[in-house]
Amino acid sequence: METLRYPYRPKTWVMALAGLFFAVCAVVLGYTAHDNDRGLLIDGILSLDAGQASIIYWVLCALSIGFVAAGLFGVVTSLREPREVMVDRTGVTLPAGRWSSDTVTIPFASITDLRIQQVHSHKFLIIRHRAGKHSVMRSMMPSSADFEAFVEAVMAGRARSR
């Protein structure tokens, strides 16, 4: 089996668009909160006066600003040296965690379960092993075809080790 290596990082354009979207949301919500003189009726159930509605708008504005910061962090992360996912004859090498620069190598013999999980349009390969659980997100791979090839290689390696 040949060694497969793929860069593993967020896509710059997705992070930039997300940051831009939430920046627009923050501006709109900030203006709405600042100039609010009306109450708010939520789903016909919850009725808020003007002061309470302004608080809701300010909280949503603050959350949007937090998402802008996360988008900027994603852009910076996407421009740095990419982390890698790798499959070779012995196992799978993955980033140790979302925020860690370390890697972890999981021997095929220690993998106890492999699953593909899909949440809406997002796909993940969930790898459970004796020492824990790791996941690989399709959106962080260069393409869907690379993700599928990676999944097939991991499944084949696990089958060979049994």
Side-chain angles (χ1 to χ4, degrees), residues 60-160:
L60 291 174
C61 177
L63 289 172
S64 293
I65 290 169
F67 283 121
V68 169
L72 290 173
F73 180 75
V75 167
V76 169
T77 302
S78 71
L79 295 175
R80 287 192 305 191
E81 183 72 24
R83 298 187 295 172
E84 279 189 332
V85 292
M86 181 181 78
V87 181
D88 61 16
R89 289 190 149 294
T90 61
V92 184
T93 302
L94 308 167
R98 187 175 307 250
W99 311 115
S100 174
S101 60
D102 296 335
T103 60
V104 62
T105 299
I106 305 165
F108 288 126
S110 74
I111 295 176
T112 57
D113 187 36
L114 284 173
R115 289 181 195 259
I116 294 193
Q117 182 176 356
Q118 185 161 346
V119 179
H120 299 290
S121 64
H122 300 282
K123 263 188 175 177
F124 306 86
L125 172 64
I126 309 293
I127 302 172
R128 293 187 188 277
H129 54 100
R130 293 186 189 122
K133 175 179 108 170
H134 287 83
S135 62
V136 177
M137 299 186 319
R138 178 179 67 184
S139 63
M140 301 268 285
M141 301 281 286
S143 70
S144 293
D146 291 336
F147 177 77
E148 298 301 329
F150 177 79
V151 169
E152 287 177 23
V154 172
M155 289 182 170
R158 180 177 180 231
R160 270 195 323 275

Side-chain angles (χ1 to χ4, degrees), residues 17-98:
L17 283 178
L20 181 63
F21 171 78
F22 283 107
V24 169
C25 289
V27 168
V28 169
L29 287 165
Y31 278 121
T32 302
H34 184 266
D35 296 337
N36 185 44
D37 60 353
R38 299 170 59 180
L40 181 64
L41 183 63
I42 300 175
D43 218 14
I45 298 172
L46 185 61
S47 180
L48 305 173
D49 64 28
Q52 294 169 326
S54 291
I55 290 171
I56 293 290
Y57 291 135
W58 281 121
V59 167
L60 291 174
C61 177
L63 289 172
S64 293
I65 290 169
F67 283 121
V68 169
L72 290 173
F73 180 75
V75 167
V76 169
T77 302
S78 71
L79 295 175
R80 287 192 305 191
E81 183 72 24
R83 298 187 295 172
E84 279 189 332
V85 292
M86 181 181 78
V87 181
D88 61 16
R89 289 190 149 294
T90 61
V92 184
T93 302
L94 308 167
R98 187 175 307 250

